[in-house]
Amino acid sequence: MFRFRSFAAVSTVAVSFALGGAASAQTVLNFAHSTAQNSHYSMGVQAFGKTLSELSNGKFEIREQAAGALGGERDVIEGLQIGSVELTISSTGPLGNFVPEALVLDLPFLFKDYDAARSILDGEIGQELLAKVSENNLVALAWSENGFRHVTNSRGPINTPADLEGLKIRTMENQVHMEAFRAAGASPTPMAFPEVFAALQQHVIDGQENPIPVITASKFWEVQDNLTLTGHVYSPAIILAAPSLWDGLSDEEKGWFREAATAAVAATRAKVEADEANGVALLRKNGMKVIEKVDQAAFQKAVSPAYETFVSKYGDEMLKRIQAAQ
């Protein structure tokens, strides 16, 4: 049995009866994320659940908790640590608050393209960073994906870094992102993702920055007029499990979860690719003005102080390895 429910609950153990009348225990696990149902995250969760159900012969069922049903990303990661949530797929936005080593992935203009980012995260460097995450009362299963981030706003077109001056823009709860926008003259406002739409609607903030799959899934065209394809940060995602869940699994069961995570990554990346291919046209169709061509070198120069701040705090060893790998 494999189904999705929208209500919040902690994991439960159900008893189902096979045709012969024998009872078998089924464990229901909450898999939380911040984006809408049928978003790229949602596609990953559904692929995870389908694979896990098949491998476990129905022993494990995934209950998808979409659209921040169990809280913002930071809340959910804390929930994993205390065992109130079993699984999540999250951006790296709040991850640096738990694992400072992961902040390197949030540096602007770090990855040149999707192929480079995926290759590095799937390779030795990505595995090292997953291991670092797993040292912090979390279980890191795989790197997944959001995509390259772009800026939307309701104040006016952004053609150059100067147009960011004074823009009150929502960023993730991430010091590297905040430093980058502050250096470019904007006024970064960290905020949990479930709060963003209402804040834009009420003009508490002027804009936000996210990849195309998030912008389309969230229907930000309803509250934002302008999109500029800055591509200023490649945004990974990470699939995490609660130690309280993981420690109770056999080695065979852990293998099932790893295979399910691999399936989730493939499904999420496929959805990101589809949204990247069709998303800009959809946003234009719904009334957004889109600036596709920008001087990326100018934006890169504007946010470069974020690198100086990062290196002064954390050093440049991992940064140089990632740059050299491209």
Side-chain angles (χ1 to χ4, degrees):
M1 180 170 61
F2 172 62
R3 62 183 181 274
F4 292 96
R5 303 171 184 167
S6 60
F7 57 86
V10 295
S11 65
T12 59
V13 177
V15 178
S16 57
F17 289 87
L19 289 175
S24 61
Q26 181 185 60
T27 302
V28 181
L29 304 172
N30 288 299
F31 200 135
H33 65 88
S34 61
T35 59
Q37 196 95 39
N38 297 320
S39 65
H40 60 303
Y41 278 3
S42 185
M43 294 298 99
V45 173
Q46 292 179 37
F48 188 103
K50 182 175 186 293
T51 302
L52 183 61
S53 179
E54 290 172 353
L55 290 171
S56 69
N57 196 28
K59 178 177 180 178
F60 294 104
E61 177 193 355
I62 293 300
R63 177 184 290 141
E64 181 178 9
Q65 304 285 3
L70 299 186
E73 290 182 331
R74 182 166 183 162
D75 298 326
V76 169
I77 292 174
E78 290 172 347
L80 293 175
Q81 292 182 318
I82 64 174
S84 62
V85 185
E86 289 79 38
L87 294 152
T88 192
I89 179 170
S90 171
S91 74
T92 54
L95 192 62
N97 296 303
F98 303 88
V99 189
E101 293 87 349
L103 284 169
V104 67
L105 300 176
D106 294 299
L107 285 166
F109 301 103
L110 176 62
F111 296 103
K112 66 179 183 179
D113 55 31
Y114 278 104
D115 287 342
R118 292 172 178 179
S119 175
I120 289 167
L121 290 173
D122 290 344
E124 181 181 345
I125 290 173
Q127 294 307 303
E128 285 183 29
L129 289 171
L130 287 178
K132 284 289 185 184
V133 174
S134 294
E135 292 172 3
N136 290 268
N137 196 30
L138 294 164
V139 178
L141 295 178
W143 290 112
S144 191
E145 185 169 83
N146 281 292
F148 282 89
R149 304 179 78 87
H150 309 289
V151 176
T152 72
N153 85 103
S154 57
R155 191 178 70 176
I158 294 172
N159 293 286
T160 69
D163 296 324
L164 292 170
E165 186 69 36
L167 187 77
K168 195 168 186 182
I169 185 167
R170 180 267 176 180
T171 66
M172 295 191 290
E173 298 172 271
N174 180 289
Q175 56 187 294
V176 173
H177 284 216
M178 293 171 65
E179 173 66 20
F181 278 100
R182 193 177 294 115
S187 177
T189 306
M191 184 182 297
F193 187 75
E195 303 169 15
V196 175
F197 191 95
L200 292 168
Q201 190 174 43
Q202 296 162 15
H203 300 288
V204 174
I205 50 177
D206 301 312
Q208 62 86 51
E209 48 86 47
N210 259 303
I212 296 297
V214 177
I215 296 170
T216 54
S218 304
K219 298 183 179 180
F220 278 143
W221 60 74
E222 295 179 2
V223 288
Q224 297 277 266
D225 301 320
N226 304 284
L227 165 66
T228 301
L229 300 182
T230 51
H232 54 276
V233 170
Y234 170 79
S235 181
I238 189 168
I239 299 174
L240 298 168
S244 58
L245 164 66
W246 194 252
D247 292 344
L249 299 176
S250 68
D251 288 344
E252 182 184 24
E253 289 168 342
K254 289 175 181 177
W256 299 341
F257 277 75
R258 291 191 181 100
E259 285 191 50
T262 298
V265 172
T268 301
R269 287 176 175 174
K271 176 63 172 170
V272 167
E273 289 173 359
D275 288 347
E276 287 279 11
N278 306 310
V280 170
L282 175 64
L283 295 170
R284 280 202 173 102
K285 180 181 177 182
N286 283 281
M288 290 191 81
K289 299 172 185 174
V290 182
I291 297 172
E292 293 195 53
K293 300 292 186 181
V294 297
D295 183 354
Q296 276 207 335
F299 281 93
Q300 190 167 357
K301 182 179 179 181
V303 300
S304 61
Y307 276 74
E308 298 166 15
T309 301
F310 176 85
V311 170
S312 69
K313 290 183 178 179
Y314 305 109
D316 62 359
E317 179 186 0
M318 183 61 73
L319 169 60
K320 285 184 174 179
R321 287 178 62 192
I322 292 173
Q323 291 172 327
Q326 301 178 74

